[in-house]
C-alpha cells in the first residue's frame, strides 16, 4: 500500500512539472527584461543624437560646400551662407551637450526644434511640404521619446509619487509623431502590397496605442527591411560620399532608437493599453475591497 501511494504521488507531481517549467521560463524572461530595459533607455538616446551629431560633422567637414549651397538657395552672398552654417552647427552642438550631458534635455530639444524650424523656413521645397512635415514629425517623435526615457530613468526613486501628466503627454505626442513614418511609407508606393498592408496595420495600432510594445518591436523589424533589405538600401550605401552614407545610417539609428524607447515605455495612459491597464487596476482594487470586507468580523 505504501509503495502504491508513493507511485501515485509521483504521478501527481509529474502533472505539475510542465506548469512549474512554464513559471520558471516566465520568471527568466521577466528578469531579462528588467535587466535589458535600463540598458535600452540609457543607450537609445545616443542612437537618436547620432543623427544630429553626424549633421554637425558633415557640416564641419564640408563647410565650404554646405555654406555655398545654402547661400544659393537663399539667394544671398556666400558669406551669409557660411554664417548660417556656423550658427546651425553651434546651436546643434549646444543642444547635444544639453541633452546628453545635463539634466536639461528639454532645453536641448527646444534648441533642436528651433533650429529645425528655421531650417525649414529657409530651405524647404514647398511643393513637397507634406513630406517634410511628416519627416520632421518623425524626428520630433524620437526627441519626445528621448525626453520621456530620460525622465523615467532619472526619477525612478520618486516615480510612484510623481505627477506623471507631462510624462504621459510626452508618450502621447511621441507615439503619434512616430506614426508619421507609416504615412511616408504609404506615400512612397512601396514595392509590395503586403508591405502596404503592414504599414496600415502598424499605423492604426501604434497611433491608437494597442499592444504598443509588441508592435514597436515589429516596426523596428519592418524598418530594417524597408531601409536595408529592400530597394531603398541605396539611400544608405549608394552614395559616393561615405560621410553622407554614415549620416543616412545614423538617421536609421535615430528611428530605431525612437521605436525601441517606445517599446520599453509603452503607449502610456492616453492609449488603449493604458485604458485596459486602468480598468484592470480598478477591477483588482474592487476585488481586494471585497476580500477585506468579507474578512471583517460580524
Amino acid at each position: 500500500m505504501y509503495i502504491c501511494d508513493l507511485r501515485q504521488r509521483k504521478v501527481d507531481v509529474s502533472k505539475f512539472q510542465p506548469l512549474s517549467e512554464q513559471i520558471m521560463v516566465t520568471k527568466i524572461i521577466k528578469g531579462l527584461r528588467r535587466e535589458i530595459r535600463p540598458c535600452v533607455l540609457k543607450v537609445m538616446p545616443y542612437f537618436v543624437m547620432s543623427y544630429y551629431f553626424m549633421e554637425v560633422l558633415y557640416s564641419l567637414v564640408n563647410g565650404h560646400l554646405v555654406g555655398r549651397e545654402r547661400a544659393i538657395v537663399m539667394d544671398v552672398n556666400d558669406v551669409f551662407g557660411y554664417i548660417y552654417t556656423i550658427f546651425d552647427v553651434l546651436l546643434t552642438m549646444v543642444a547635444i551637450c544639453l541633452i546628453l550631458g545635463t539634466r536639461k534635455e528639454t532645453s536641448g530639444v527646444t534648441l533642436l526644434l528651433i533650429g529645425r524650424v528655421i531650417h525649414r523656413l529657409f530651405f524647404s521645397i514647398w511643393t513637397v511640404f507634406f513630406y517634410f512635415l511628416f519627416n520632421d514629425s518623425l524626428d520630433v517623435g524620437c526627441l519626445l521619446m528621448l525626453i520621456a526615457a530620460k525622465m523615467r530613468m532619472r526619477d525612478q526613486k520618486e516615480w510612484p509619487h510623481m505627477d506623471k501628466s507631462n510624462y504621459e503627454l510626452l508618450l502621447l505626442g511621441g507615439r503619434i509623431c512616430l506614426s508619421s513614418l507609416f504615412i511616408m511609407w504609404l506615400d512612397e508606393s512601396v514595392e509590395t502590397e503586403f508591405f502596404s498592408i503592414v504599414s496600415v496595420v502598424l499605423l492604426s495600432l501604434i497611433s491608437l496605442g494597442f499592444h504598443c510594445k509588441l508592435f514597436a518591436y515589429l516596426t523596428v523589424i519592418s524598418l530594417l527591411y524597408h531601409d536595408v533589405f529592400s530597394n531603398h538600401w541605396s539611400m544608405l550605401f549608394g552614395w559616393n560620399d561615405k560621410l553622407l552614407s554614415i549620416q543616412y545610417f545614423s538617421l536609421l539609428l535615430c528611428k530605431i532608437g525612437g521605436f525601441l524607447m517606445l517599446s520599453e515605455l509603452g503607449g502610456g495612459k492616453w492609449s488603449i493599453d493604458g485604458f485596459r491597464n486602468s480598468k484592470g487596476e480598478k477591477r483588482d482594487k474592487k476585488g481586494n475591497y471585497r476580500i477585506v470586507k468579507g474578512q471583517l468580523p460580524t
Side-chain angles (χ1 to χ4, degrees), residues 224-237:
L224 289 172
Y225 167 77
H226 178 272
D227 285 11
V228 180
F229 300 108
S230 71
N231 295 332
H232 297 85
W233 67 270
S234 58
M235 291 297 293
L236 293 177
F237 311 110

Side-chain angles (χ1 to χ4, degrees), residues 2-267:
Y2 182 70
I3 294 173
C4 292
D5 187 47
L6 282 177
R7 288 177 180 173
Q8 184 65 32
R9 287 183 183 178
K10 286 182 180 179
V11 171
D12 293 338
V13 171
S14 65
K15 291 180 181 178
F16 295 99
Q17 284 181 352
L19 182 60
S20 62
E21 290 175 359
Q22 185 178 359
I23 294 172
M24 187 180 297
V25 171
T26 304
K27 287 183 178 179
I28 292 172
I29 293 173
K30 288 183 178 179
L32 287 173
R33 286 202 65 184
R34 280 195 296 268
E35 294 293 329
I36 293 173
R37 182 178 184 180
C39 296
V40 171
L41 296 181
K42 285 179 182 178
V43 173
M44 289 307 109
Y46 292 94
F47 274 41
V48 174
M49 285 295 102
S50 66
Y51 171 60
Y52 297 94
F53 175 77
M54 286 307 304
E55 278 192 340
V56 170
L57 184 61
Y58 185 83
S59 296
L60 290 175
V61 173
N62 302 292
H64 179 74
L65 178 63
V66 172
R68 191 170 183 183
E69 286 178 350
R70 289 174 173 175
I72 292 172
V73 172
M74 290 189 291
D75 194 19
V76 294
N77 191 279
D78 289 356
V79 176
F80 291 100
Y82 299 140
I83 292 173
Y84 175 80
T85 301
I86 294 171
F87 164 77
D88 187 48
V89 166
L90 291 176
L91 187 71
T92 307
M93 288 177 64
V94 171
I96 292 172
C97 292
L98 286 174
I99 292 170
L100 297 180
T102 69
R103 298 167 62 95
K104 298 180 180 179
E105 61 275 355
T106 305
S107 301
V109 169
T110 303
L111 290 178
L112 286 179
L113 294 179
I114 290 173
R116 184 54 57 93
V117 169
I118 295 172
H119 188 82
R120 288 298 175 226
L121 288 175
F122 284 138
F123 304 109
S124 288
I125 302 173
W126 297 105
T127 54
V128 286
F129 170 75
F130 286 104
Y131 174 80
F132 286 120
L133 177 65
F134 290 126
N135 190 53
D136 288 343
S137 295
L138 179 59
D139 293 343
V140 171
C142 294
L143 293 173
L144 293 179
M145 297 307 299
L146 183 151
I147 297 175
K150 289 183 74 70
M151 185 184 296
R152 184 64 185 266
M153 290 296 296
R154 185 176 61 241
D155 303 323
Q156 279 184 340
K157 294 181 180 178
E158 299 86 5
W159 192 253
H161 311 290
M162 282 182 59
D163 179 20
K164 303 181 183 66
S165 56
N166 291 335
Y167 173 77
E168 299 295 347
L169 288 174
L170 285 171
L171 292 182
L172 173 63
R175 191 180 76 244
I176 292 174
C177 289
L178 286 175
S179 299
S180 61
L181 173 68
F182 310 116
I183 299 175
M184 289 192 292
W185 283 353
L186 291 170
D187 186 59
E188 289 173 357
S189 300
V190 288
E191 60 275 4
T192 61
E193 184 178 351
F194 174 75
F195 196 80
S196 299
I197 295 172
V198 169
S199 301
V200 172
V201 171
L202 291 175
L203 171 63
S204 304
L205 296 176
I206 287 185
S207 59
L208 294 174
F210 181 72
H211 288 294
C212 215
K213 295 183 178 182
L214 170 63
F215 288 108
Y217 281 120
L218 294 178
T219 300
V220 172
I221 296 172
S222 302
L223 186 58
L224 289 172
Y225 167 77
H226 178 272
D227 285 11
V228 180
F229 300 108
S230 71
N231 295 332
H232 297 85
W233 67 270
S234 58
M235 291 297 293
L236 293 177
F237 311 110
W239 302 93
N240 293 327
D241 189 344
K242 291 183 179 179
L243 197 59
L244 193 59
S245 295
I246 296 173
Q247 185 177 355
Y248 275 97
F249 183 75
S250 66
L251 177 59
L252 173 62
L253 292 181
C254 178
K255 298 174 189 176
I256 291 174
F259 280 101
L260 284 180
M261 285 187 285
L262 177 63
S263 70
E264 293 300 322
L265 299 174

